Amino acid sequence: MYRKSMDDREMTDLALQSTVDLNNRVKIPLIGLGTYLSTGDRGYRAVRHAIKIGYRHIDTAMMYDNEVEIGMAIRDSDEPREEIFLTTKLWNSDHGFEQTKAAFDASLERLGLEYVDLYLIHWPVQGLRLDSWRALEELYKEGKCRSIGVSNYMERHLEELLKIAKVVPVVNQVEFHPYLYLKELQDYCMKKKILIQAYSPLTKGRMLNDPPLKDIAKKYQKSTAQILIRWCLQRETIVLPKSANHNNITENMEIYDFEISKEDMKTLDAFHRNMRVTWDPTTQP
Ligand SMILES: NC(=O)c1ccc[n+]([C@@H]2O[C@H](COP(=O)([O-])OP(=O)(O)OC[C@H]3O[C@@H](n4cnc5c(N)ncnc54)[C@H](OP(=O)(O)O)[C@@H]3O)[C@@H](O)[C@H]2O)c1
């Protein structure tokens, strides 16, 4: 689905602003700037810099406590609003039908924007998540968000959701990197036309000095961060590297001038060790 919807272009032909079609035909740029912990002036400047050098996709959440500065950075940028793809998320304490609608309006208010491109359920909160999904469907139909999706959903959460959903989620945003290669979940999602968004693709920096990863980086004369981002793209995810450092923000977009060979992709796949650097949804009922 991912390859075909990119007009059969080869990965090396892609550029920073390359997009893929979501299941509702909305286009999403393949790389998004993660913004967890990018708050205040640092968050504002990170987003301004990213947009200036060509990022067109920004990922935030109510929980990151930075919607005000991120909305401001988007509004202050030279790009028209429709050129930027913005995601925000419903936090756990705001689940339930009416609460979700109110939380969404509060997010829009903080962002100072008229719509978001993608609204996600941040976490599958037991008992309330189906009511929240119905609220997201209404927000989508009202045109307040151009697409809706979920995050941290395992297969059983998706099965439950798909039984009642009138709108199929466009993405499932989960932790995804070679040390946590969730192939089965991805295959399941692909069958349902749900794309994976890879969060913590840089393992929060934890594995950037891993010797086998460094060996591969050396071979391609790239940084280990660039190898991880490129692996996510070649494994057909939408990737969300976070940085508030201007050099790193630039470095993280310089991943379209090389391609990891099939053999090296397999070597990277074999790094999998079920290692999580963020929270673990596998035991969430
Ligand atoms: N839906 C969810 O539940 C969920 C959970 C976690 C994350 N997310 C989203 O995914 C985004 C990314 O995940 P993450 O923030 O957990 O971690 P990440 O992107 O894996 O790693 C971020 C860390 O890597 C460093 N870094 C970035 N680029 C680098 C480079 N080129 N060289 C060396 N270090 C580099 C950053 O430091 P500097 O800032 O100093 O560059 C930061 O410490 C989040 O920001 C958020 O938007 C979503």
Side-chain angles (χ1 to χ4, degrees):
M1 175 175 58
Y2 181 101
R3 286 281 167 120
K4 277 188 198 132
S5 50
M6 288 195 295
D7 307 317
D8 294 328
R9 285 172 298 187
E10 291 299 322
M11 292 298 290
T12 39
D13 294 339
L14 297 174
L16 182 65
Q17 289 156 15
S18 294
T19 58
V20 62
D21 281 2
L22 298 170
N23 65 27
N24 62 353
R25 315 295 299 168
V26 167
K27 292 185 186 308
I28 184 169
L30 292 174
I31 294 192
L33 180 75
T35 66
Y36 178 53
L37 301 180
S38 294
T39 51
D41 192 44
R42 198 166 150 76
Y44 174 84
R45 284 187 291 108
V47 174
R48 286 297 304 271
H49 175 70
I51 293 176
K52 195 168 160 197
I53 65 169
Y55 283 73
R56 292 292 176 267
H57 173 182
I58 314 288
D59 181 83
T60 183
M62 186 277 181
M63 191 271 260
Y64 303 168
D65 196 21
N66 59 11
E67 288 176 315
V68 169
E69 45 274 41
I70 284 177
M72 197 185 297
I74 290 172
R75 283 184 276 114
D76 289 352
S77 82
D78 296 329
E79 289 304 315
R81 169 68 187 92
E82 61 273 19
E83 291 299 318
I84 310 291
F85 190 101
L86 176 72
T87 302
T88 194
K89 312 183 191 91
L90 174 76
W91 185 233
N92 300 354
S93 50
D94 295 325
H95 272 256
F97 186 80
E98 291 302 334
Q99 295 88 327
T100 295
K101 291 179 81 176
F104 177 83
D105 285 343
S107 277
L108 269 195
E109 179 81 25
R110 281 188 295 273
L111 288 161
L113 299 173
E114 281 171 18
Y115 67 91
V116 298
D117 297 278
L118 176 58
Y119 195 47
L120 299 181
I121 292 186
H122 208 146
W123 181 264
V125 171
Q126 194 186 9
L128 291 170
R129 57 188 178 237
L130 294 180
D131 289 339
S132 304
W133 185 256
R134 287 190 193 96
L136 260 66
E137 290 181 331
E138 238 183 66
L139 292 165
Y140 176 61
K141 281 181 188 139
E142 287 165 10
K144 288 180 165 179
C145 40
R146 295 177 66 226
S147 41
I148 53 177
V150 294
S151 178
N152 297 298
Y153 273 50
M154 298 292 102
E155 201 172 314
R156 65 180 174 286
H157 305 124
L158 288 166
E159 291 264 311
E160 173 202 71
L161 175 63
L162 293 173
K163 275 187 203 140
I164 63 109
K166 294 196 182 94
V167 179
V168 175
V170 293
V171 298
N172 183 18
Q173 185 178 121
V174 292
E175 182 174 341
F176 198 96
H177 45 70
Y179 305 89
L180 182 67
Y181 180 22
L182 301 178
K183 187 167 183 335
E184 279 176 26
L185 179 66
Q186 183 177 31
D187 287 347
Y188 173 83
C189 287
M190 284 287 202
K191 270 189 224 138
K192 306 289 181 190
K193 300 194 187 312
I194 300 168
L195 288 178
I196 295 286
Q197 282 190 311
Y199 79 60
S200 304
L202 306 176
T203 66
K204 291 193 187 286
R206 220 170 285 176
M207 300 306 281
L208 294 181
N209 286 317
D210 184 31
L213 178 61
K214 279 169 88 172
D215 286 344
I216 293 181
K218 199 169 165 195
K219 181 170 165 185
Y220 290 90
Q221 297 188 312
K222 286 284 170 182
S223 71
T224 50
Q226 289 168 325
I227 296 291
L228 292 179
I229 295 167
R230 183 76 203 189
W231 178 86
C232 283
L233 287 182
Q234 290 185 219
R235 282 291 168 252
E236 306 192 328
T237 70
I238 297 154
V239 60
L240 304 171
K242 174 266 171 183
S243 179
N245 171 303
H246 291 202
N247 292 334
N248 288 347
I249 292 173
T250 304
E251 179 181 310
N252 294 347
M253 70 182 228
E254 291 170 347
I255 40 80
Y256 287 118
D257 55 353
F258 76 113
E259 182 162 7
I260 302 173
S261 71
K262 276 194 179 133
E263 234 176 48
D264 290 330
M265 284 299 288
K266 281 194 185 139
T267 305
L268 286 160
D269 293 350
F271 286 6
H272 176 70
R273 56 186 78 161
N274 219 24
M275 186 192 94
R276 286 176 195 276
V277 297
T278 306
W279 44 7
D280 181 0
T282 55
T283 55
Q284 173 69 25

